[in-house]
Amino acid sequence: MDIPRGEIVRILSQLSLEEREGIMREVAKEHEVLKPKFIPLEEVLKLKGIIAVGGNALKDSEGIYDE
C-alpha cells in the first residue's frame, strides 16, 4: 500500500484507544501467522511411537466409527 505514514496516523488518531488496540492485535496476529515456528529435531524425534505414519487412513477411520 502506498498510504503516507501521516495519513495512517491521522486516521488512527480518530479512533478510540480500544479500537486502536484491536487493530494492533489484528496486525500482531497477521505477523504471528507468517512467522514459522521451528521445533528442534530432538523434540520431533520424541514423537516417534506417539503417532502412526502410513497405513490406510480411510480404513482405520471407518473401523473406529464401526465399533
Side-chain angles (χ1 to χ4, degrees):
M1 295 179 68
D2 293 327
I3 301 173
R5 186 180 189 112
E7 183 66 13
I8 295 170
V9 171
R10 186 189 68 74
I11 293 168
L12 290 174
S13 68
Q14 296 176 18
L15 301 175
S16 69
L17 177 60
E18 292 80 18
E19 290 171 316
R20 287 192 308 266
E21 288 175 345
I23 290 170
M24 294 309 294
R25 279 192 296 274
E26 288 181 41
V27 169
K29 283 182 192 176
E30 287 294 319
H31 288 286
E32 289 173 12
V33 171
L34 298 176
K35 283 193 220 174
K37 182 175 180 182
F38 296 100
I39 301 172
L41 179 59
E42 296 79 22
E43 295 298 316
V44 174
L45 292 175
K46 289 179 186 177
L47 297 175
K48 183 179 177 186
I50 295 175
I51 60 171
V53 178
N56 186 329
L58 178 60
K59 182 179 175 184
D60 294 343
S61 64
E62 288 174 345
I64 292 170
Y65 288 107
D66 289 342
E67 291 178 0

Coordinates of all heavy atoms in Angstrom, one line a residue:
M1 N 0.8 -1.2 0.0 CA 0.0 0.0 0.0 C 0.9 1.2 0.0 O 1.9 1.3 0.6 CB -0.9 0.0 1.2 CG -1.9 -1.2 1.3 SD -2.9 -1.2 2.7 CE -3.9 0.3 2.5
D2 N 0.4 2.2 -0.7 CA 1.2 3.5 -0.8 C 0.5 4.6 0.0 O 0.3 5.7 -0.5 CB 1.4 3.9 -2.2 CG 2.3 2.9 -3.0 OD1 3.2 2.4 -2.3 OD2 2.1 2.7 -4.2
I3 N 0.1 4.3 1.2 CA -0.6 5.3 2.1 C 0.5 6.0 2.9 O 1.3 5.3 3.6 CB -1.6 4.7 3.0 CG1 -2.7 3.9 2.2 CG2 -2.3 5.7 3.9 CD1 -3.7 3.1 3.0
P4 N 0.6 7.3 2.8 CA 1.6 8.0 3.6 C 1.4 7.8 5.1 O 0.3 7.7 5.6 CB 1.3 9.5 3.3 CG 0.5 9.5 2.0 CD -0.2 8.2 2.0
R5 N 2.5 7.7 5.7 CA 2.5 7.4 7.2 C 1.7 8.4 7.9 O 0.9 8.1 8.9 CB 3.9 7.4 7.7 CG 4.1 7.0 9.1 CD 5.6 7.0 9.5 NE 5.7 6.4 10.8 CZ 6.4 5.3 11.1 NH1 6.9 4.6 10.1 NH2 6.5 4.8 12.3
G6 N 1.8 9.7 7.6 CA 1.0 10.7 8.2 C -0.5 10.5 8.1 O -1.3 10.8 9.0
E7 N -0.9 10.0 7.0 CA -2.4 9.7 6.8 C -2.8 8.6 7.7 O -3.9 8.6 8.3 CB -2.6 9.3 5.3 CG -4.1 9.1 5.0 CD -5.0 10.3 5.1 OE1 -4.4 11.5 5.2 OE2 -6.2 10.2 5.1
I8 N -2.0 7.6 7.8 CA -2.3 6.4 8.7 C -2.4 7.0 10.2 O -3.4 6.6 10.9 CB -1.3 5.3 8.6 CG1 -1.3 4.7 7.2 CG2 -1.5 4.3 9.7 CD1 -0.2 3.8 6.9
V9 N -1.5 7.8 10.6 CA -1.5 8.4 11.9 C -2.8 9.2 12.1 O -3.5 9.1 13.1 CB -0.3 9.2 12.2 CG1 -0.4 10.0 13.5 CG2 1.0 8.3 12.2
R10 N -3.2 10.0 11.1 CA -4.4 10.8 11.2 C -5.6 10.0 11.4 O -6.5 10.2 12.2 CB -4.5 11.7 9.9 CG -5.6 12.7 10.0 CD -5.9 13.4 8.7 NE -6.4 12.5 7.6 CZ -7.7 12.0 7.6 NH1 -8.5 12.3 8.5 NH2 -8.0 11.2 6.6
I11 N -5.7 8.9 10.6 CA -6.9 8.0 10.7 C -6.9 7.3 12.1 O -7.9 7.3 12.7 CB -6.9 7.0 9.6 CG1 -7.1 7.7 8.2 CG2 -7.9 5.9 9.8 CD1 -6.8 6.8 7.0
L12 N -5.8 6.8 12.5 CA -5.7 6.1 13.8 C -6.0 7.0 15.0 O -6.6 6.6 15.9 CB -4.4 5.4 14.0 CG -4.1 4.2 13.1 CD1 -2.7 3.7 13.3 CD2 -5.1 3.1 13.4
S13 N -5.6 8.3 14.8 CA -5.8 9.2 15.9 C -7.3 9.5 16.1 O -7.7 10.0 17.2 CB -5.0 10.5 15.7 OG -5.6 11.2 14.6
Q14 N -8.1 9.3 15.1 CA -9.6 9.5 15.2 C -10.3 8.3 15.9 O -11.5 8.4 16.2 CB -10.2 9.8 13.9 CG -9.6 11.0 13.2 CD -10.1 11.2 11.8 OE1 -11.1 10.6 11.4 NE2 -9.5 12.0 11.0
L15 N -9.6 7.2 16.1 CA -10.2 6.1 16.7 C -10.0 6.1 18.2 O -9.1 6.7 18.8 CB -9.6 4.8 16.2 CG -9.7 4.6 14.7 CD1 -8.9 3.3 14.3 CD2 -11.1 4.5 14.2
S16 N -10.9 5.4 18.9 CA -10.7 5.2 20.4 C -9.5 4.4 20.7 O -9.0 3.6 19.8 CB -12.0 4.6 21.0 OG -12.1 3.3 20.6
L17 N -9.1 4.4 21.9 CA -8.0 3.6 22.4 C -8.3 2.1 22.1 O -7.4 1.4 21.7 CB -7.6 3.9 23.8 CG -6.5 3.0 24.4 CD1 -5.2 3.3 23.7 CD2 -6.4 3.4 25.9
E18 N -9.5 1.7 22.5 CA -9.9 0.3 22.3 C -9.8 -0.1 20.8 O -9.4 -1.2 20.5 CB -11.3 0.1 22.9 CG -11.4 0.2 24.4 CD -11.5 1.7 24.9 OE1 -11.8 2.5 24.1 OE2 -11.2 1.9 26.1
E19 N -10.3 0.8 20.0 CA -10.3 0.4 18.5 C -8.8 0.3 18.0 O -8.5 -0.6 17.3 CB -11.0 1.5 17.7 CG -12.5 1.5 18.0 CD -13.2 2.7 17.3 OE1 -12.7 3.8 17.5 OE2 -14.3 2.4 16.7
R20 N -8.0 1.3 18.5 CA -6.6 1.2 18.0 C -5.9 -0.1 18.6 O -5.1 -0.7 17.9 CB -5.8 2.4 18.5 CG -6.2 3.7 17.8 CD -5.2 4.8 18.0 NE -5.0 5.1 19.4 CZ -5.7 6.1 20.1 NH1 -6.6 6.8 19.5 NH2 -5.4 6.3 21.4
E21 N -6.2 -0.4 19.8 CA -5.6 -1.6 20.4 C -6.1 -2.9 19.6 O -5.3 -3.8 19.4 CB -5.9 -1.7 21.9 CG -5.1 -0.7 22.7 CD -5.5 -0.7 24.2 OE1 -6.6 -1.3 24.5 OE2 -4.8 -0.1 25.0
G22 N -7.4 -2.9 19.3 CA -7.9 -4.0 18.5 C -7.2 -4.2 17.2 O -6.9 -5.3 16.7
I23 N -7.0 -3.0 16.5 CA -6.2 -3.1 15.2 C -4.8 -3.6 15.4 O -4.4 -4.4 14.6 CB -6.2 -1.6 14.6 CG1 -7.6 -1.3 14.1 CG2 -5.2 -1.6 13.4 CD1 -7.8 0.1 13.7
M24 N -4.2 -3.1 16.5 CA -2.8 -3.6 16.7 C -2.8 -5.1 17.0 O -1.8 -5.8 16.6 CB -2.1 -2.8 17.8 CG -1.9 -1.3 17.5 SD -1.1 -1.0 15.9 CE 0.5 -1.7 16.3
R25 N -3.8 -5.6 17.7 CA -3.8 -7.1 18.0 C -4.0 -7.8 16.7 O -3.4 -8.9 16.4 CB -5.0 -7.4 18.9 CG -4.7 -7.1 20.4 CD -5.7 -7.8 21.3 NE -7.0 -7.1 21.1 CZ -7.4 -6.0 21.8 NH1 -6.6 -5.4 22.6 NH2 -8.6 -5.5 21.6
E26 N -4.8 -7.3 15.8 CA -5.0 -8.0 14.5 C -3.7 -7.9 13.7 O -3.4 -8.9 13.0 CB -6.1 -7.3 13.7 CG -7.5 -7.5 14.2 CD -8.6 -6.8 13.4 OE1 -8.5 -6.9 12.1 OE2 -9.5 -6.3 14.0
V27 N -3.0 -6.8 13.7 CA -1.7 -6.7 13.0 C -0.8 -7.8 13.5 O -0.1 -8.5 12.8 CB -1.2 -5.3 13.1 CG1 0.3 -5.2 12.6 CG2 -2.1 -4.3 12.3
A28 N -0.7 -7.8 14.9 CA 0.2 -8.8 15.5 C -0.1 -10.2 15.1 O 0.8 -11.0 14.9 CB 0.2 -8.6 17.0
K29 N -1.4 -10.5 15.0 CA -1.8 -11.9 14.6 C -1.4 -12.2 13.2 O -0.9 -13.3 13.0 CB -3.4 -12.0 14.7 CG -3.9 -12.2 16.1 CD -5.4 -12.4 16.0 CE -6.1 -12.2 17.3 NZ -7.6 -12.3 17.2
E30 N -1.5 -11.2 12.3 CA -1.0 -11.4 11.0 C 0.5 -11.8 10.9 O 0.9 -12.6 10.2 CB -1.3 -10.2 10.1 CG -2.8 -10.0 9.8 CD -3.3 -11.1 8.9 OE1 -2.6 -11.5 7.9 OE2 -4.5 -11.5 9.2
H31 N 1.2 -11.1 11.7 CA 2.7 -11.3 11.7 C 3.0 -12.7 12.4 O 3.9 -13.3 12.0 CB 3.4 -10.2 12.4 CG 3.5 -9.0 11.6 ND1 4.2 -8.8 10.5 CD2 2.8 -7.8 11.7 CE1 4.1 -7.6 9.9 NE2 3.2 -7.0 10.7
E32 N 2.2 -13.1 13.4 CA 2.5 -14.4 14.0 C 2.2 -15.5 13.1 O 2.9 -16.5 13.0 CB 1.6 -14.5 15.2 CG 1.9 -13.6 16.4 CD 0.9 -13.7 17.5 OE1 0.0 -14.6 17.5 OE2 1.0 -12.9 18.4
V33 N 1.2 -15.4 12.2 CA 0.9 -16.4 11.3 C 2.0 -16.6 10.3 O 2.3 -17.7 9.8 CB -0.5 -16.1 10.6 CG1 -0.7 -17.0 9.4 CG2 -1.6 -16.1 11.6
L34 N 2.6 -15.5 9.9 CA 3.6 -15.5 8.9 C 5.0 -16.0 9.3 O 5.8 -16.5 8.6 CB 3.8 -14.1 8.2 CG 2.5 -13.6 7.5 CD1 2.8 -12.2 7.0 CD2 2.1 -14.5 6.4
K35 N 5.2 -16.0 10.6 CA 6.5 -16.4 11.2 C 6.5 -18.0 11.4 O 5.6 -18.5 12.0 CB 6.7 -15.8 12.5 CG 7.1 -14.4 12.5 CD 7.6 -14.1 13.9 CE 7.2 -12.7 14.4 NZ 7.6 -12.4 15.7
P36 N 7.4 -18.7 10.8 CA 7.5 -20.1 11.0 C 8.0 -20.4 12.4 O 8.8 -19.6 13.0 CB 8.5 -20.6 10.0 CG 9.3 -19.4 9.7 CD 8.4 -18.2 9.9
K37 N 7.5 -21.4 13.0 CA 7.9 -21.8 14.3 C 8.7 -23.1 14.2 O 8.2 -24.1 13.7 CB 6.7 -22.1 15.3 CG 7.1 -22.5 16.6 CD 6.0 -22.6 17.6 CE 6.4 -23.0 19.0 NZ 5.3 -23.1 19.9
F38 N 10.0 -23.0 14.5 CA 10.9 -24.2 14.4 C 10.9 -25.0 15.6 O 10.9 -24.5 16.7 CB 12.3 -23.7 14.0 CG 12.3 -23.0 12.7 CD1 12.3 -21.6 12.6 CD2 12.3 -23.7 11.5 CE1 12.3 -21.0 11.3 CE2 12.3 -23.1 10.3 CZ 12.3 -21.7 10.2
I39 N 10.9 -26.3 15.5 CA 11.0 -27.2 16.6 C 12.3 -28.0 16.5 O 12.6 -28.5 15.4 CB 9.8 -28.2 16.6 CG1 8.5 -27.4 16.6 CG2 9.9 -29.2 17.7 CD1 7.2 -28.3 16.4
P40 N 13.0 -28.1 17.6 CA 14.3 -28.8 17.5 C 14.1 -30.2 17.1 O 13.1 -30.9 17.5 CB 14.9 -28.7 18.9 CG 14.1 -27.5 19.5 CD 12.8 -27.5 18.9
L41 N 15.0 -30.8 16.3 CA 14.9 -32.2 15.9 C 14.7 -33.1 17.0 O 14.0 -34.1 16.9 CB 16.1 -32.5 15.1 CG 16.2 -34.0 14.5 CD1 15.0 -34.2 13.6 CD2 17.5 -34.2 13.8
E42 N 15.4 -32.9 18.1 CA 15.2 -33.7 19.3 C 13.8 -33.9 19.8 O 13.3 -34.9 20.2 CB 16.1 -33.2 20.5 CG 17.6 -33.3 20.2 CD 18.1 -32.1 19.3 OE1 17.4 -31.1 19.3 OE2 19.1 -32.2 18.7
E43 N 13.1 -32.7 19.7 CA 11.7 -32.7 20.1 C 10.8 -33.5 19.1 O 9.9 -34.3 19.5 CB 11.1 -31.3 20.2 CG 11.8 -30.5 21.3 CD 11.5 -31.1 22.7 OE1 10.4 -31.5 23.0 OE2 12.5 -31.2 23.5
V44 N 11.1 -33.4 17.8 CA 10.4 -34.1 16.8 C 10.6 -35.6 17.0 O 9.7 -36.4 16.9 CB 10.8 -33.7 15.4 CG1 10.1 -34.5 14.3 CG2 10.4 -32.2 15.2
L45 N 11.8 -36.0 17.2 CA 12.1 -37.4 17.4 C 11.4 -38.1 18.6 O 11.2 -39.3 18.6 CB 13.7 -37.6 17.5 CG 14.4 -37.3 16.2 CD1 15.9 -37.4 16.4 CD2 14.0 -38.2 15.1
K46 N 11.1 -37.3 19.6 CA 10.4 -37.8 20.8 C 9.0 -38.2 20.4 O 8.3 -38.9 21.1 CB 10.3 -36.7 21.9 CG 11.6 -36.4 22.5 CD 11.5 -35.3 23.6 CE 12.8 -34.9 24.2 NZ 12.6 -33.8 25.1
L47 N 8.5 -37.7 19.3 CA 7.1 -38.1 18.8 C 7.0 -39.5 18.3 O 5.9 -40.1 18.1 CB 6.6 -37.1 17.8 CG 6.5 -35.7 18.2 CD1 6.1 -34.8 17.0 CD2 5.4 -35.5 19.3
K48 N 8.2 -40.1 18.0 CA 8.2 -41.5 17.5 C 7.4 -42.4 18.4 O 7.6 -42.4 19.6 CB 9.6 -42.0 17.3 CG 9.7 -43.4 16.7 CD 11.1 -43.8 16.6 CE 11.1 -45.2 16.0 NZ 12.5 -45.7 16.0
G49 N 6.4 -43.1 17.9 CA 5.6 -44.0 18.7 C 4.3 -43.4 19.1 O 3.4 -44.1 19.4
I50 N 4.2 -42.1 19.2 CA 3.0 -41.4 19.6 C 2.0 -41.4 18.4 O 0.8 -41.6 18.6 CB 3.3 -40.0 20.0 CG1 4.1 -40.0 21.3 CG2 2.0 -39.2 20.3 CD1 4.6 -38.6 21.8
I51 N 2.5 -41.2 17.2 CA 1.7 -41.2 16.0 C 2.1 -42.3 15.1 O 3.3 -42.7 15.0 CB 1.7 -39.9 15.3 CG1 3.1 -39.5 14.8 CG2 1.2 -38.8 16.2 CD1 3.2 -38.3 13.9
A52 N 1.2 -42.9 14.3 CA 1.5 -43.9 13.3 C 1.5 -43.2 12.0 O 0.7 -42.3 11.7 CB 0.4 -44.9 13.3
V53 N 2.5 -43.5 11.2 CA 2.6 -42.9 9.8 C 2.4 -44.1 8.8 O 3.0 -45.1 9.0 CB 4.0 -42.3 9.6 CG1 4.2 -41.7 8.2 CG2 4.2 -41.2 10.7
G54 N 1.6 -43.8 7.8 CA 1.3 -44.8 6.8 C 0.1 -45.5 7.1 O -0.7 -45.2 8.0
G55 N -0.2 -46.6 6.4 CA -1.4 -47.4 6.6 C -2.5 -46.8 5.7 O -2.3 -46.0 4.8
N56 N -3.7 -47.3 6.0 CA -4.9 -46.8 5.3 C -5.8 -46.0 6.2 O -6.5 -46.5 7.0 CB -5.6 -48.1 4.8 CG -6.8 -47.7 3.9 OD1 -7.4 -46.7 4.0 ND2 -7.1 -48.6 2.9
A57 N -5.7 -44.7 6.1 CA -6.4 -43.8 7.0 C -7.9 -44.0 6.8 O -8.6 -43.9 7.8 CB -6.0 -42.4 6.7
L58 N -8.4 -44.2 5.6 CA -9.8 -44.3 5.4 C -10.3 -45.6 6.1 O -11.3 -45.6 6.8 CB -10.1 -44.4 3.9 CG -11.6 -44.6 3.5 CD1 -12.5 -43.5 4.1 CD2 -11.8 -44.7 2.0
K59 N -9.6 -46.7 5.9 CA -10.0 -48.0 6.5 C -9.9 -47.8 8.1 O -10.8 -48.3 8.8 CB -9.0 -49.1 6.1 CG -9.4 -50.4 6.6 CD -8.4 -51.5 6.1 CE -8.7 -52.8 6.7 NZ -7.7 -53.8 6.3
D60 N -8.8 -47.2 8.6 CA -8.7 -47.0 10.0 C -9.8 -46.2 10.6 O -10.4 -46.5 11.7 CB -7.3 -46.4 10.3 CG -6.2 -47.3 10.0 OD1 -6.4 -48.6 9.8 OD2 -5.0 -46.8 9.9
S61 N -10.1 -45.1 9.9 CA -11.2 -44.2 10.5 C -12.5 -44.9 10.4 O -13.4 -44.8 11.3 CB -11.2 -42.9 9.7 OG -11.6 -43.1 8.4
E62 N -12.8 -45.7 9.4 CA -14.1 -46.4 9.3 C -14.2 -47.5 10.4 O -15.2 -47.7 11.0 CB -14.2 -47.1 7.9 CG -14.5 -46.1 6.8 CD -14.5 -46.7 5.4 OE1 -14.0 -47.8 5.3 OE2 -15.0 -46.0 4.5
G63 N -13.0 -48.1 10.7 CA -13.0 -49.0 11.8 C -13.3 -48.4 13.1 O -14.0 -49.0 14.0
I64 N -12.9 -47.2 13.4 CA -13.2 -46.5 14.6 C -14.7 -46.3 14.7 O -15.3 -46.5 15.8 CB -12.4 -45.2 14.7 CG1 -10.9 -45.5 14.9 CG2 -12.9 -44.3 15.9 CD1 -10.0 -44.3 14.7
Y65 N -15.3 -45.8 13.6 CA -16.7 -45.5 13.7 C -17.6 -46.7 13.7 O -18.8 -46.7 14.1 CB -17.1 -44.6 12.5 CG -16.6 -43.2 12.7 CD1 -15.5 -42.7 11.9 CD2 -17.1 -42.3 13.7 CE1 -15.0 -41.4 12.1 CE2 -16.6 -41.1 13.9 CZ -15.5 -40.6 13.1 OH -15.0 -39.4 13.3
D66 N -17.1 -47.9 13.2 CA -17.9 -49.1 13.2 C -18.0 -49.7 14.6 O -18.8 -50.6 14.8 CB -17.3 -50.1 12.2 CG -17.6 -49.6 10.7 OD1 -18.5 -48.8 10.5 OD2 -16.9 -50.1 9.8
E67 N -17.1 -49.4 15.5 CA -17.0 -50.0 16.8 C -18.2 -49.6 17.7 O -18.9 -48.7 17.6 CB -15.7 -49.6 17.5 CG -14.5 -50.3 16.9 CD -13.2 -49.9 17.5 OE1 -13.2 -49.1 18.5 OE2 -12.2 -50.4 17.0

